[in-house]
Amino acid sequence: MEYPAVAPARRGELSDRRVLVVEDDPTVLEVASAYLESAGYLVEVATDGFAALEAVAARRPDLVVLDRMLPGIDGAEVCRRIRASSTVPVILLTAMSATEDRIDGLEAGADDYLAKPFSPRELVLRVQSILRRSVTELTPEAAIERGPFALDPAARIIRRDGRELALSVREFDLLAFLLKHPRQAFSREQLLHAVWHWDFGDLSTVTVTVRRVREKIEDDPTSPTTLVTVWGVGYRLDL
Amino acid sequence: MEYPAVAPARRGELSDRRVLVVEDDPTVLEVASAYLESAGYLVEVATDGFAALEAVAARRPDLVVLDRMLPGIDGAEVCRRIRASSTVPVILLTAMSATEDRIDGLEAGADDYLAKPFSPRELVLRVQSILRRSVTELTPEAAIERGPFALDPAARIIRRDGRELALSVREFDLLAFLLKHPRQAFSREQLLHAVWHWDFGDLSTVTVTVRRVREKIEDDPTSPTTLVTVWGVGYRLDL
DNA sequence: CGCGACCGTCCGCATTTCGTAAGGTTCGGA
DNA sequence: TCCGAACCTTACGAAATGCGGACGGTCGCG
Protein backbone atom coordinates (compact mmCIF):
# COMPACT_ATOMS: atom_id res chain seq x y z
CA MET A 1 0.00 0.00 0.00
CA GLU A 2 1.18 3.47 -0.79
CA TYR A 3 1.28 6.36 1.57
CA PRO A 4 0.85 10.06 0.98
CA ALA A 5 3.80 12.36 1.36
CA VAL A 6 2.49 13.64 4.66
CA ALA A 7 0.71 11.72 7.34
CA PRO A 8 -2.99 12.27 6.83
CA ALA A 9 -5.07 13.78 9.56
CA ARG A 10 -6.21 11.23 12.06
CA ARG A 11 -9.46 9.49 11.68
CA GLY A 12 -12.33 11.43 12.99
CA GLU A 13 -10.43 14.63 12.61
CA LEU A 14 -10.90 15.19 8.98
CA SER A 15 -13.06 18.19 9.66
CA ASP A 16 -12.05 21.23 7.72
CA ARG A 17 -10.03 23.19 10.22
CA ARG A 18 -8.87 26.60 9.04
CA VAL A 19 -5.22 27.53 9.52
CA LEU A 20 -3.94 31.05 8.95
CA VAL A 21 -0.32 31.28 7.82
CA VAL A 22 1.37 34.64 8.27
CA GLU A 23 4.66 34.85 6.38
CA ASP A 24 6.26 37.39 4.09
CA ASP A 25 8.68 35.05 2.36
CA PRO A 26 6.77 33.69 -0.66
CA THR A 27 8.81 30.50 -0.77
CA VAL A 28 8.25 29.60 2.86
CA LEU A 29 4.61 30.56 2.54
CA GLU A 30 4.19 28.33 -0.49
CA VAL A 31 5.82 25.30 1.09
CA ALA A 32 4.02 25.59 4.40
CA SER A 33 0.66 26.08 2.75
CA ALA A 34 1.15 23.11 0.45
CA TYR A 35 2.01 20.76 3.29
CA LEU A 36 -0.81 21.94 5.50
CA GLU A 37 -3.32 21.63 2.69
CA SER A 38 -2.19 18.14 1.88
CA ALA A 39 -2.73 17.28 5.52
CA GLY A 40 -6.34 18.32 5.09
CA TYR A 41 -6.46 21.85 6.41
CA LEU A 42 -7.99 24.88 4.77
CA VAL A 43 -5.14 27.34 4.56
CA GLU A 44 -5.52 31.08 4.46
CA VAL A 45 -2.58 33.42 4.15
CA ALA A 46 -1.43 36.86 5.16
CA THR A 47 1.87 38.50 4.33
CA ASP A 48 2.09 41.17 6.98
CA GLY A 49 0.99 41.87 10.51
CA PHE A 50 -1.94 44.12 9.73
CA ALA A 51 -3.42 41.69 7.27
CA ALA A 52 -2.93 38.97 9.87
CA LEU A 53 -4.89 40.84 12.53
CA GLU A 54 -7.65 41.54 10.08
CA ALA A 55 -7.75 37.92 8.99
CA VAL A 56 -7.93 36.67 12.56
CA ALA A 57 -10.84 38.98 13.32
CA ALA A 58 -12.70 38.36 10.10
CA ARG A 59 -12.04 34.69 9.38
CA ARG A 60 -11.66 33.32 12.89
CA PRO A 61 -9.14 30.60 12.05
CA ASP A 62 -8.68 27.58 14.30
CA LEU A 63 -4.93 28.08 14.45
CA VAL A 64 -2.36 30.67 13.40
CA VAL A 65 1.16 30.03 12.14
CA LEU A 66 3.01 33.28 12.61
CA ASP A 67 6.44 34.36 11.43
CA ARG A 68 8.45 36.19 14.05
CA MET A 69 10.04 38.51 11.50
CA LEU A 70 7.48 40.48 9.57
CA PRO A 71 7.53 43.74 7.65
CA GLY A 72 5.75 46.42 9.63
CA ILE A 73 4.74 45.07 13.01
CA ASP A 74 6.90 42.52 14.74
CA GLY A 75 5.53 38.97 14.92
CA ALA A 76 5.58 38.86 18.70
CA GLU A 77 3.62 42.08 18.79
CA VAL A 78 1.08 40.66 16.39
CA CYS A 79 0.81 37.66 18.66
CA ARG A 80 0.12 39.90 21.64
CA ARG A 81 -2.60 41.76 19.80
CA ILE A 82 -4.20 38.52 18.70
CA ARG A 83 -4.16 37.40 22.32
CA ALA A 84 -5.91 40.57 23.36
CA SER A 85 -9.06 39.46 21.63
CA SER A 86 -8.74 35.77 20.96
CA THR A 87 -7.53 32.47 22.42
CA VAL A 88 -6.73 30.94 19.07
CA PRO A 89 -3.58 28.79 19.29
CA VAL A 90 -0.50 30.44 17.79
CA ILE A 91 2.65 28.73 16.52
CA LEU A 92 5.52 31.16 16.23
CA LEU A 93 8.24 30.73 13.63
CA THR A 94 11.44 32.11 15.10
CA ALA A 95 14.54 32.91 13.10
CA MET A 96 16.85 31.32 15.61
CA SER A 97 16.44 29.00 18.49
CA ALA A 98 17.80 31.62 20.86
CA THR A 99 16.26 31.56 24.30
CA GLU A 100 15.70 35.27 23.94
CA ASP A 101 13.18 34.65 21.20
CA ARG A 102 11.68 31.80 23.10
CA ILE A 103 11.06 33.96 26.13
CA ASP A 104 9.64 36.75 24.00
CA GLY A 105 7.40 34.23 22.37
CA LEU A 106 6.14 32.83 25.63
CA GLU A 107 5.58 36.31 26.85
CA ALA A 108 3.63 37.18 23.76
CA GLY A 109 1.40 34.21 24.39
CA ALA A 110 2.47 31.78 21.70
CA ASP A 111 1.51 28.16 22.20
CA ASP A 112 4.46 26.63 20.41
CA TYR A 113 7.58 27.60 18.44
CA LEU A 114 9.47 26.34 15.52
CA ALA A 115 13.00 27.48 14.74
CA LYS A 116 13.72 28.40 11.15
CA PRO A 117 14.72 26.75 8.98
CA PHE A 118 12.01 24.29 9.92
CA SER A 119 10.86 21.05 8.43
CA PRO A 120 7.40 21.45 6.90
CA ARG A 121 6.57 18.00 8.19
CA GLU A 122 7.32 19.08 11.69
CA LEU A 123 5.10 22.09 11.22
CA VAL A 124 2.26 19.80 10.19
CA LEU A 125 2.92 17.57 13.17
CA ARG A 126 2.79 20.48 15.60
CA VAL A 127 -0.38 21.83 14.06
CA GLN A 128 -1.98 18.41 14.29
CA SER A 129 -0.77 17.94 17.84
CA ILE A 130 -2.30 21.20 19.00
CA LEU A 131 -5.56 20.85 17.14
CA ARG A 132 -5.95 17.27 18.24
CA ARG A 133 -6.05 18.30 21.85
CA SER A 134 -7.93 21.55 21.59
CA VAL A 135 -11.52 21.50 22.55
CA THR A 136 -12.85 24.84 23.56
CA GLU A 137 -10.97 27.10 21.17
CA LEU A 138 -12.21 25.36 18.07
CA THR A 139 -14.99 26.95 16.14
CA PRO A 140 -17.76 24.39 16.10
CA GLU A 141 -18.78 23.22 12.70
CA ALA A 142 -22.28 24.19 11.77
CA ALA A 143 -25.00 21.58 11.59
CA ILE A 144 -26.50 21.08 8.16
CA GLU A 145 -29.98 19.98 7.21
CA ARG A 146 -30.56 19.01 3.61
CA GLY A 147 -33.50 17.08 2.32
CA PRO A 148 -34.11 14.07 4.55
CA PHE A 149 -30.58 14.32 5.96
CA ALA A 150 -29.36 16.11 9.06
CA LEU A 151 -25.63 16.37 9.75
CA ASP A 152 -24.27 17.13 13.22
CA PRO A 153 -20.49 17.30 12.87
CA ALA A 154 -19.81 17.86 16.56
CA ALA A 155 -21.71 14.78 17.65
CA ARG A 156 -20.62 12.95 14.50
CA ILE A 157 -24.18 11.97 13.76
CA ILE A 158 -26.02 11.88 10.46
CA ARG A 159 -29.75 11.33 10.58
CA ARG A 160 -32.10 10.40 7.78
CA ASP A 161 -35.73 11.17 8.43
CA GLY A 162 -34.79 11.57 12.05
CA ARG A 163 -33.27 8.13 12.37
CA GLU A 164 -29.58 8.01 13.22
CA LEU A 165 -27.46 6.21 10.66
CA ALA A 166 -24.93 3.64 11.86
CA LEU A 167 -21.94 4.82 9.87
CA SER A 168 -18.30 3.93 10.25
CA VAL A 169 -15.65 6.66 10.29
CA ARG A 170 -14.97 6.53 6.56
CA GLU A 171 -18.61 6.28 5.68
CA PHE A 172 -19.40 9.25 7.87
CA ASP A 173 -16.63 11.36 6.42
CA LEU A 174 -17.65 10.56 2.87
CA LEU A 175 -21.32 11.24 3.38
CA ALA A 176 -20.60 14.37 5.39
CA PHE A 177 -18.45 15.70 2.58
CA LEU A 178 -21.13 15.01 0.01
CA LEU A 179 -23.75 16.62 2.21
CA LYS A 180 -21.63 19.74 2.35
CA HIS A 181 -21.43 19.76 -1.43
CA PRO A 182 -24.74 18.42 -2.69
CA ARG A 183 -25.73 18.17 -6.34
CA GLN A 184 -22.11 18.29 -7.36
CA ALA A 185 -20.33 15.48 -9.17
CA PHE A 186 -16.94 14.39 -7.86
CA SER A 187 -14.45 12.05 -9.45
CA ARG A 188 -13.01 9.23 -7.42
CA GLU A 189 -9.70 11.05 -7.38
CA GLN A 190 -11.31 14.12 -5.94
CA LEU A 191 -13.05 12.12 -3.24
CA LEU A 192 -9.88 10.23 -2.43
CA HIS A 193 -8.18 13.56 -1.94
CA ALA A 194 -10.97 15.38 -0.11
CA VAL A 195 -12.10 12.59 2.20
CA TRP A 196 -9.11 10.26 2.49
CA HIS A 197 -6.43 12.95 2.06
CA TRP A 198 -4.52 10.64 -0.18
CA ASP A 199 -2.62 12.03 -3.13
CA PHE A 200 -2.69 8.67 -4.85
CA GLY A 201 -3.99 5.21 -4.17
CA ASP A 202 -6.44 2.57 -5.25
CA LEU A 203 -9.58 4.21 -6.56
CA SER A 204 -11.65 1.14 -5.84
CA THR A 205 -11.40 2.15 -2.22
CA VAL A 206 -13.83 4.93 -3.05
CA THR A 207 -16.08 2.61 -5.01
CA VAL A 208 -16.44 0.20 -2.16
CA THR A 209 -17.06 2.88 0.43
CA VAL A 210 -19.72 4.41 -1.79
CA ARG A 211 -21.30 1.00 -2.02
CA ARG A 212 -21.30 0.68 1.75
CA VAL A 213 -22.86 4.08 2.21
CA ARG A 214 -25.54 3.25 -0.33
CA GLU A 215 -26.37 0.14 1.62
CA LYS A 216 -27.27 2.37 4.54
CA ILE A 217 -29.03 5.32 2.94
CA GLU A 218 -30.73 3.99 -0.18
CA ASP A 219 -34.10 2.30 -0.10
CA ASP A 220 -32.91 0.06 -2.91
CA PRO A 221 -29.11 0.02 -2.96
CA THR A 222 -29.05 -1.73 -6.34
CA SER A 223 -30.67 1.26 -8.02
CA PRO A 224 -29.52 4.33 -6.12
CA THR A 225 -31.56 7.50 -6.22
CA THR A 226 -29.62 9.62 -3.76
CA LEU A 227 -25.94 8.77 -4.09
CA VAL A 228 -25.98 8.37 -7.82
CA THR A 229 -23.31 7.35 -10.28
CA VAL A 230 -22.29 9.87 -12.93
CA TRP A 231 -21.04 7.59 -15.64
CA GLY A 232 -17.46 8.25 -16.70
CA VAL A 233 -17.13 10.91 -14.02
CA GLY A 234 -17.80 9.75 -10.50
CA TYR A 235 -20.55 10.25 -7.96
CA ARG A 236 -23.06 12.88 -6.94
CA LEU A 237 -25.42 13.31 -4.02
CA ASP A 238 -28.94 14.22 -5.09
CA LEU A 239 -31.48 15.34 -2.55
CA MET B 1 14.76 45.94 44.30
CA GLU B 2 14.99 45.96 40.56
CA TYR B 3 11.67 45.77 38.93
CA PRO B 4 10.75 42.89 36.76
CA ALA B 5 10.83 43.29 33.02
CA VAL B 6 7.75 41.25 32.43
CA ALA B 7 4.77 42.19 30.39
CA PRO B 8 2.10 43.73 32.60
CA ALA B 9 -1.30 42.20 32.72
CA ARG B 10 -3.56 43.17 29.89
CA ARG B 11 -6.40 45.31 31.00
CA GLY B 12 -9.56 43.50 31.80
CA GLU B 13 -8.12 40.09 31.36
CA LEU B 14 -5.63 39.11 33.98
CA SER B 15 -6.59 41.59 36.60
CA ASP B 16 -8.27 40.27 39.72
CA ARG B 17 -6.64 36.89 39.40
CA ARG B 18 -5.58 35.70 42.81
CA VAL B 19 -2.40 33.67 43.09
CA LEU B 20 -1.46 31.87 46.27
CA VAL B 21 2.26 31.44 46.82
CA VAL B 22 3.29 28.74 49.30
CA GLU B 23 6.95 29.03 50.21
CA ASP B 24 8.87 28.94 53.47
CA ASP B 25 12.00 30.71 52.27
CA PRO B 26 11.34 34.44 52.87
CA THR B 27 13.67 35.55 50.08
CA VAL B 28 12.12 33.35 47.42
CA LEU B 29 8.69 34.33 48.66
CA GLU B 30 9.53 37.99 48.42
CA VAL B 31 10.94 37.79 44.91
CA ALA B 32 8.15 35.65 43.53
CA SER B 33 5.47 37.83 45.06
CA ALA B 34 7.03 41.00 43.71
CA TYR B 35 7.21 39.70 40.19
CA LEU B 36 3.71 38.30 40.23
CA GLU B 37 2.29 41.50 41.65
CA SER B 38 4.03 43.60 39.07
CA ALA B 39 2.49 41.35 36.46
CA GLY B 40 -0.89 42.36 37.79
CA TYR B 41 -1.87 39.50 40.06
CA LEU B 42 -3.21 39.70 43.57
CA VAL B 43 -0.75 37.67 45.58
CA GLU B 44 -1.52 35.87 48.80
CA VAL B 45 1.05 33.92 50.72
CA ALA B 46 1.39 30.92 53.00
CA THR B 47 4.54 29.60 54.60
CA ASP B 48 3.58 26.04 55.37
CA GLY B 49 1.34 23.27 54.10
CA PHE B 50 -1.43 23.60 56.64
CA ALA B 51 -1.76 27.31 56.04
CA ALA B 52 -1.80 26.58 52.33
CA LEU B 53 -4.71 24.15 52.61
CA GLU B 54 -6.62 26.61 54.71
CA ALA B 55 -5.94 29.41 52.29
CA VAL B 56 -7.07 27.34 49.32
CA ALA B 57 -10.32 26.48 51.06
CA ALA B 58 -11.00 29.94 52.39
CA ARG B 59 -9.74 32.24 49.64
CA ARG B 60 -10.29 30.06 46.56
CA PRO B 61 -7.32 31.36 44.59
CA ASP B 62 -7.19 31.08 40.81
CA LEU B 63 -3.78 29.45 40.90
CA VAL B 64 -1.34 28.06 43.46
CA VAL B 65 2.45 28.25 43.33
CA LEU B 66 3.65 25.55 45.67
CA ASP B 67 7.11 24.76 46.99
CA ARG B 68 7.95 21.09 46.95
CA MET B 69 9.96 21.33 50.16
CA LEU B 70 7.90 22.61 53.03
CA PRO B 71 8.11 22.34 56.80
CA GLY B 72 5.49 19.93 58.04
CA ILE B 73 3.66 18.36 55.13
CA ASP B 74 5.47 17.66 51.90
CA GLY B 75 4.59 19.87 48.94
CA ALA B 76 3.44 16.96 46.81
CA GLU B 77 1.20 15.85 49.59
CA VAL B 78 -0.29 19.31 49.89
CA CYS B 79 -0.88 19.22 46.16
CA ARG B 80 -2.73 15.93 46.44
CA ARG B 81 -4.96 17.23 49.17
CA ILE B 82 -5.74 20.33 47.20
CA ARG B 83 -6.65 18.10 44.29
CA ALA B 84 -9.01 16.11 46.46
CA SER B 85 -11.34 19.05 46.72
CA SER B 86 -10.40 21.49 44.00
CA THR B 87 -9.31 21.77 40.40
CA VAL B 88 -7.31 24.95 40.91
CA PRO B 89 -4.13 24.89 38.78
CA VAL B 90 -0.95 24.16 40.75
CA ILE B 91 2.60 25.00 39.77
CA LEU B 92 5.13 23.03 41.78
CA LEU B 93 8.56 24.39 42.62
CA THR B 94 11.00 21.50 42.77
CA ALA B 95 14.41 21.63 44.38
CA MET B 96 16.17 19.86 41.54
CA SER B 97 15.37 19.29 37.95
CA ALA B 98 15.44 15.55 38.43
CA THR B 99 12.82 13.69 36.49
CA GLU B 100 12.07 11.91 39.72
CA ASP B 101 10.51 15.02 41.14
CA ARG B 102 8.76 15.83 37.94
CA ILE B 103 7.04 12.48 37.91
CA ASP B 104 6.07 12.82 41.53
CA GLY B 105 4.71 16.25 40.81
CA LEU B 106 2.64 15.17 37.88
CA GLU B 107 1.35 12.25 39.88
CA ALA B 108 0.37 14.57 42.67
CA GLY B 109 -1.76 16.46 40.18
CA ALA B 110 0.40 19.49 39.50
CA ASP B 111 -0.26 21.33 36.26
CA ASP B 112 3.29 22.46 35.78
CA TYR B 113 6.57 22.47 37.59
CA LEU B 114 9.61 24.70 37.83
CA ALA B 115 13.08 23.67 38.93
CA LYS B 116 14.77 25.76 41.57
CA PRO B 117 16.63 28.00 41.30
CA PHE B 118 14.10 29.39 38.86
CA SER B 119 13.88 32.61 36.97
CA PRO B 120 11.06 34.73 38.39
CA ARG B 121 10.37 35.84 34.85
CA GLU B 122 9.74 32.29 33.85
CA LEU B 123 7.47 31.79 36.81
CA VAL B 124 5.35 34.70 35.70
CA LEU B 125 5.27 33.34 32.17
CA ARG B 126 4.06 29.96 33.31
CA VAL B 127 1.42 31.48 35.51
CA GLN B 128 0.19 33.56 32.60
CA SER B 129 0.25 30.60 30.30
CA ILE B 130 -1.83 28.44 32.58
CA LEU B 131 -4.32 31.10 33.51
CA ARG B 132 -4.81 32.05 29.90
CA ARG B 133 -5.37 28.42 29.02
CA SER B 134 -7.95 27.83 31.68
CA VAL B 135 -9.64 31.19 31.60
CA THR B 136 -12.96 29.66 30.74
CA GLU B 137 -12.77 27.05 33.44
CA LEU B 138 -12.04 29.65 36.07
CA THR B 139 -15.11 31.72 35.57
CA PRO B 140 -17.55 31.10 38.37
CA GLU B 141 -19.08 27.77 37.52
CA ALA B 142 -22.80 27.62 37.46
CA ALA B 143 -24.86 24.59 38.32
CA ILE B 144 -26.09 22.66 35.32
CA GLU B 145 -29.13 20.49 34.94
CA ARG B 146 -29.31 18.30 31.87
CA GLY B 147 -31.61 15.39 31.40
CA PRO B 148 -31.57 13.25 34.53
CA PHE B 149 -28.28 14.79 35.63
CA ALA B 150 -27.64 17.73 37.91
CA LEU B 151 -24.14 19.11 38.30
CA ASP B 152 -23.09 21.28 41.22
CA PRO B 153 -19.47 22.22 40.50
CA ALA B 154 -18.92 24.15 43.70
CA ALA B 155 -20.02 21.28 45.90
CA ARG B 156 -18.48 18.77 43.48
CA ILE B 157 -21.68 16.78 43.40
CA ILE B 158 -23.44 15.15 40.49
CA ARG B 159 -26.93 13.81 40.96
CA ARG B 160 -28.86 11.46 38.74
CA ASP B 161 -32.61 11.51 39.24
CA GLY B 162 -31.95 13.33 42.49
CA ARG B 163 -29.67 10.64 43.89
CA GLU B 164 -26.09 11.66 44.49
CA LEU B 165 -23.53 9.64 42.57
CA ALA B 166 -20.53 8.25 44.43
CA LEU B 167 -17.84 9.41 42.04
CA SER B 168 -14.12 9.56 42.58
CA VAL B 169 -12.19 12.72 41.71
CA ARG B 170 -11.31 11.62 38.19
CA GLU B 171 -14.73 10.24 37.50
CA PHE B 172 -16.31 13.47 38.64
CA ASP B 173 -14.05 15.61 36.48
CA LEU B 174 -14.72 13.50 33.42
CA LEU B 175 -18.47 13.39 33.83
CA ALA B 176 -18.61 17.07 34.70
CA PHE B 177 -16.73 17.95 31.53
CA LEU B 178 -19.04 15.83 29.42
CA LEU B 179 -22.08 17.35 31.08
CA LYS B 180 -20.76 20.77 30.14
CA HIS B 181 -20.40 19.63 26.53
CA PRO B 182 -23.23 17.20 25.89
CA ARG B 183 -23.95 15.63 22.51
CA GLN B 184 -20.42 16.29 21.37
CA ALA B 185 -17.93 13.59 20.45
CA PHE B 186 -14.47 13.86 21.98
CA SER B 187 -11.36 11.89 21.19
CA ARG B 188 -9.49 10.26 24.02
CA GLU B 189 -6.71 12.73 23.44
CA GLN B 190 -9.04 15.69 23.82
CA LEU B 191 -10.38 14.27 27.05
CA LEU B 192 -6.90 13.58 28.35
CA HIS B 193 -6.09 17.22 27.70
CA ALA B 194 -9.31 18.74 28.95
CA VAL B 195 -9.86 16.59 32.02
CA TRP B 196 -6.41 15.31 33.01
CA HIS B 197 -4.49 18.35 31.77
CA TRP B 198 -1.95 16.06 30.20
CA ASP B 199 -0.30 16.82 26.92
CA PHE B 200 0.82 13.24 26.53
CA GLY B 201 0.16 9.96 28.19
CA ASP B 202 -1.55 6.61 27.94
CA LEU B 203 -4.90 6.98 26.24
CA SER B 204 -6.18 3.83 27.90
CA THR B 205 -6.39 5.90 31.05
CA VAL B 206 -9.38 7.59 29.47
CA THR B 207 -10.86 4.29 28.36
CA VAL B 208 -10.74 2.85 31.84
CA THR B 209 -12.16 5.92 33.53
CA VAL B 210 -15.00 5.98 31.03
CA ARG B 211 -15.68 2.39 31.91
CA ARG B 212 -15.75 3.21 35.61
CA VAL B 213 -18.13 6.08 35.07
CA ARG B 214 -20.38 3.84 33.03
CA GLU B 215 -20.56 1.39 35.89
CA LYS B 216 -22.12 4.17 37.93
CA ILE B 217 -24.45 5.91 35.52
CA GLU B 218 -25.59 3.29 33.03
CA ASP B 219 -28.45 0.93 33.72
CA ASP B 220 -26.64 -1.69 31.69
CA PRO B 221 -22.95 -0.83 31.55
CA THR B 222 -22.33 -3.49 28.90
CA SER B 223 -24.52 -1.62 26.42
CA PRO B 224 -24.25 2.07 27.28
CA THR B 225 -26.98 4.44 26.22
CA THR B 226 -25.73 7.63 27.85
CA LEU B 227 -21.95 7.65 27.71
CA VAL B 228 -21.69 6.10 24.30
CA THR B 229 -18.70 5.01 22.24
CA VAL B 230 -18.18 6.72 18.91
CA TRP B 231 -16.25 4.05 17.09
CA GLY B 232 -12.87 5.17 15.79
CA VAL B 233 -13.36 8.59 17.36
CA GLY B 234 -13.95 8.56 21.08
CA TYR B 235 -16.89 9.11 23.39
CA ARG B 236 -20.02 11.21 23.59
CA LEU B 237 -22.57 11.95 26.28
CA ASP B 238 -26.12 11.59 25.06
CA LEU B 239 -28.97 12.78 27.21
C1' DC C 1 0.07 -1.80 60.17
C1' DG C 2 -3.57 -3.87 57.68
C1' DC C 3 -7.58 -2.77 54.86
C1' DG C 4 -10.05 -0.62 51.30
C1' DA C 5 -10.53 3.01 47.83
C1' DC C 6 -8.43 5.05 44.04
C1' DC C 7 -6.03 5.14 39.75
C1' DG C 8 -2.80 4.23 36.07
C1' DT C 9 -1.15 0.39 33.39
C1' DC C 10 -1.17 -3.86 31.01
C1' DC C 11 -2.84 -8.20 28.66
C1' DG C 12 -5.89 -11.21 26.09
C1' DC C 13 -9.97 -11.42 23.52
C1' DA C 14 -13.95 -10.10 20.61
C1' DT C 15 -15.55 -7.06 17.37
C1' DT C 16 -15.35 -3.72 13.73
C1' DT C 17 -13.26 -1.57 10.05
C1' DC C 18 -11.56 -1.10 5.52
C1' DG C 19 -8.27 -1.73 1.73
C1' DT C 20 -7.69 -5.09 -1.76
C1' DA C 21 -8.71 -8.39 -5.15
C1' DA C 22 -11.45 -11.15 -8.17
C1' DG C 23 -15.28 -12.03 -10.93
C1' DG C 24 -19.75 -10.40 -12.67
C1' DT C 25 -22.65 -6.72 -14.74
C1' DT C 26 -23.83 -2.52 -17.09
C1' DC C 27 -23.01 1.11 -20.18
C1' DG C 28 -22.14 3.43 -24.56
C1' DG C 29 -20.35 3.70 -29.04
C1' DA C 30 -19.54 1.56 -33.50
C1' DT D 1 -25.18 -6.76 -31.80
C1' DC D 2 -20.55 -6.74 -30.16
C1' DC D 3 -16.72 -5.17 -27.29
C1' DG D 4 -14.00 -2.85 -24.04
C1' DA D 5 -14.13 0.17 -20.38
C1' DA D 6 -16.39 1.55 -16.38
C1' DC D 7 -18.76 0.12 -12.59
C1' DC D 8 -20.83 -3.17 -9.15
C1' DT D 9 -20.81 -6.88 -5.86
C1' DT D 10 -18.91 -9.97 -2.81
C1' DA D 11 -15.56 -11.89 0.02
C1' DC D 12 -11.27 -12.13 2.53
C1' DG D 13 -8.05 -11.08 6.06
C1' DA D 14 -4.94 -7.97 8.31
C1' DA D 15 -5.05 -4.25 11.24
C1' DA D 16 -7.24 -1.25 14.24
C1' DT D 17 -10.23 -0.52 18.00
C1' DG D 18 -12.59 -1.16 22.29
C1' DC D 19 -13.47 -3.75 26.44
C1' DG D 20 -13.22 -6.53 30.60
C1' DG D 21 -10.32 -8.33 34.00
C1' DA D 22 -6.58 -8.00 36.72
C1' DC D 23 -2.45 -6.18 38.91
C1' DG D 24 0.36 -3.13 41.58
C1' DG D 25 1.38 1.07 43.76
C1' DT D 26 -0.24 4.92 46.63
C1' DC D 27 -2.91 7.07 49.94
C1' DG D 28 -6.38 7.64 53.72
C1' DC D 29 -8.22 5.72 57.72
C1' DG D 30 -9.03 3.02 61.56
Side-chain angles (χ1 to χ4, degrees), chain A residues 35 42 72 78 104 157 161:
Chain A
Y35 270 77
L42 297 177
V78 173
D104 282 357
I157 289 175
D161 300 323

Side-chain angles (χ1 to χ4, degrees), chain A residues 69-149:
Chain A
M69 304 290 282
L70 284 176
I73 331 178
D74 174 61
E77 178 56 26
V78 173
C79 185
R80 262 182 220 103
R81 296 203 192 174
I82 289 175
R83 272 283 166 282
S85 62
S86 166
T87 57
V88 60
V90 173
I91 296 180
L92 211 57
L93 304 178
T94 71
M96 13 173 189
S97 61
T99 42
E100 195 62 23
D101 262 24
R102 186 158 179 280
I103 300 268
D104 282 357
L106 265 173
E107 211 172 285
D111 292 80
D112 205 348
Y113 322 77
L114 215 46
K116 288 209 278 189
F118 61 90
S119 143
R121 288 182 183 221
E122 186 169 2
L123 174 63
V124 170
L125 289 178
R126 304 235 182 174
V127 169
Q128 286 179 340
S129 151
I130 289 179
L131 287 182
R132 217 162 42 215
R133 298 192 297 250
S134 311
V135 177
T136 49
E137 296 88 354
L138 298 182
T139 57
E141 284 191 271
I144 292 178
E145 197 154 346
R146 289 217 171 105
F149 293 98

Side-chain angles (χ1 to χ4, degrees), chain A residues 146-183:
Chain A
R146 289 217 171 105
F149 293 98
L151 165 67
D152 183 345
R156 289 193 67 87
I157 289 175
I158 299 180
R159 288 177 215 278
R160 192 207 168 199
D161 300 323
R163 290 182 306 114
E164 180 176 343
L165 297 172
L167 299 165
S168 76
V169 179
R170 282 276 191 261
E171 292 159 8
F172 178 93
D173 288 335
L174 175 60
L175 185 52
F177 175 80
L178 292 173
L179 279 172
K180 287 179 200 163
H181 307 88
R183 274 177 283 273

Side-chain angles (χ1 to χ4, degrees), chain B residues 59-112:
Chain B
R59 311 301 313 263
R60 302 215 158 251
D62 297 301
L63 187 142
V64 178
V65 177
L66 182 61
D67 192 4
R68 181 82 161 71
M69 304 291 281
L70 284 175
I73 332 178
D74 174 61
E77 176 58 25
V78 174
C79 184
R80 267 183 216 101
R81 296 205 191 174
I82 289 174
R83 270 287 164 280
S85 63
S86 166
T87 56
V88 61
V90 174
I91 295 179
L92 213 55
L93 305 178
T94 72
M96 11 172 193
S97 62
T99 42
E100 195 69 19
D101 262 26
R102 175 177 183 172
I103 301 223
D104 283 357
L106 285 174
E107 265 177 23
D111 293 81
D112 205 347

Side-chain angles (χ1 to χ4, degrees), chain B residues 168-170 196 202 205 208 212 231:
Chain B
S168 74
V169 178
R170 283 278 190 254
W196 276 257
D202 191 347
T205 297
V208 173
R212 287 170 180 156
W231 234 91

Side-chain angles (χ1 to χ4, degrees), chain A residues 168 170 196 202 205 208 212 231:
Chain A
S168 76
R170 282 276 191 261
W196 275 257
D202 191 346
T205 296
V208 173
R212 286 170 179 154
W231 229 87

